[in-house]
Amino acid sequence: MTRLWVNGIAIRMDLVEGVPGQFVWDPRTHAVVYVANHWRVDVAWWRWRVWRDYWKLVTGTGLLVVVYQDLSLGDWYLQRLYD
């Protein structure tokens, strides 16, 4: 089962050389062991801009997640959890 939070759940992300290294959620720390994918979305700049960097990550705790950084604000969010 996959869980999706359309607006995301706020998380604290620690970067290592510009790449996600670990994040805190629920209230555990999850170390990133593999970056499966990375992509950028920049749409609707003429209305309500969505400007985000998305990352699909595998963690040391066995999670496969999609997180994103809102590039307008710098905040990080967990959007999808694959079970």
Side-chain angles (χ1 to χ4, degrees):
M1 175 179 223
T2 300
R3 288 188 252 170
L4 172 67
W5 297 275
V6 175
N7 296 320
I9 296 172
I11 59 173
R12 193 188 93 231
M13 179 66 73
D14 296 324
L15 301 178
V16 176
E17 297 180 8
V19 176
Q22 68 179 17
F23 62 93
V24 177
W25 172 64
D26 195 30
R28 298 175 55 191
T29 299
H30 303 273
V32 175
V33 296
Y34 181 71
V35 175
N37 201 353
H38 173 235
W39 66 99
R40 178 166 287 174
V41 172
D42 189 359
V43 295
W45 53 267
W46 62 93
R47 293 183 315 188
W48 184 265
R49 185 179 191 184
V50 175
W51 185 30
R52 299 174 177 170
D53 264 349
Y54 282 87
W55 300 81
K56 184 181 273 187
L57 308 171
V58 178
T59 71
T61 54
L63 299 178
L64 176 60
V65 298
V66 174
V67 299
Y68 70 87
Q69 181 183 26
D70 181 326
L71 295 172
S72 297
L73 303 171
D75 297 332
W76 285 86
Y77 299 90
L78 171 67
Q79 186 172 55
R80 185 178 299 266
L81 171 66
Y82 295 93
D83 291 344

